[in-house]
Structure formats: structure tokens, C-alpha cells
Amino acid sequence: IPKRDWSSDVCSSDLQGVPSEAAKSIVKALKDQKLKVQAAIQADQLRVTSASKDELQRAIAFLRGQDYGVELQFGNYRG
């Protein structure tokens, strides 16, 4: 079985139904954590991407432990 090289893949997860102010807070929190992920606000969702599956999972775990006043629903996880 060939070993998978995550550095060439893009892993992503979408947070759906996130209000604009909460999305901005989430982006700032992810940047403050210095995780190797990119967050982009797209209409009412927030897309978090990373070349590393592990970094994306760390970001998801971090966000689940925070309270932004809205329920976070993770969808479209590809890894």
C-alpha cells in the first residue's frame, strides 16, 4: 500500500450557517493559534483548508472547544 503524501493534497472542512461576526472571530482565533490552516469566509459559511490533515483536525478540535455563541456544524470534510 503506497504511503499517502498529505503535503500535496488540500484538506478542507466547511462551517455552515455562521454569522459574519462569529466567522471573523473564528478566523482571528485560528490565526492566533498559529495553526497551518487557511480560513475563508464565503457568504454564510467558513471554509478552513490545510495541506495537512493533522493540522485541519487540530483546528476542528480547537474550534469545538470554543464558544462563539453559535452551534458549529462541520461539513464536507475531505482528507
Side-chain angles (χ1 to χ4, degrees), residues 15 26 30 48 58-66 68 72 74:
L15 292 166
I26 292 169
L30 287 172
V48 181
R58 281 189 201 99
I60 291 171
F62 167 73
L63 293 175
R64 285 193 172 136
Q66 304 301 307
Y68 295 100
L72 300 179
F74 297 88

Side-chain angles (χ1 to χ4, degrees), residues 49-60:
T49 59
S50 177
S52 168
K53 179 180 175 182
D54 293 336
E55 284 293 311
L56 186 60
Q57 288 175 338
R58 281 189 201 99
I60 291 171

